[in-house]
Amino acid sequence: LDTKNTIVDMKTIYRGSVNSAVVRIAEVQRLPVALQCVGMIMLHNHPSGDPTPSPEDVRITERVRESAELLDIALLDHLIIGRNGFVSLKLWFL
């Protein structure tokens, strides 16, 4: 996102299996740094259809937020998409 929270680019970083994805924080931060973004929003889906965050979802969100903060990039939200809705992790880490 740019300074007006306009989407600059969207990119798929990882494709996981049915129940997991290994996430390397440097890969998540590569595009926002390269494009000189001031903000970012993460999102992923849960193939089960249940958007309830797993402990790993919360842990990754916190690690990405901390690393983004060091790079002067704001993690504005992490959305988890399910079959009939979504969950925002914004309130979990702000």
Side-chain angles (χ1 to χ4, degrees), residues 11-75:
K11 186 159 223 139
T12 300
I13 308 296
Y14 287 99
R15 291 190 190 276
S17 65
V18 172
N19 62 356
S20 70
V22 177
V23 176
R24 184 169 178 255
I25 301 303
E27 294 299 321
V28 173
Q29 299 297 0
R30 182 183 311 262
L31 186 64
V33 168
L35 296 176
Q36 300 179 2
C37 293
V38 297
M40 63 188 284
I41 297 172
M42 295 178 14
L43 70 96
H44 76 279
N45 73 310
H46 279 181
S48 69
D50 178 4
T52 303
S54 70
E56 183 66 8
D57 291 332
V58 175
R59 188 179 75 78
I60 290 296
T61 302
E62 185 59 27
R63 289 184 62 213
V64 170
R65 187 195 61 76
E66 289 170 355
S67 65
E69 199 172 90
L70 291 171
L71 298 166
D72 292 324
I73 299 169
L75 175 61

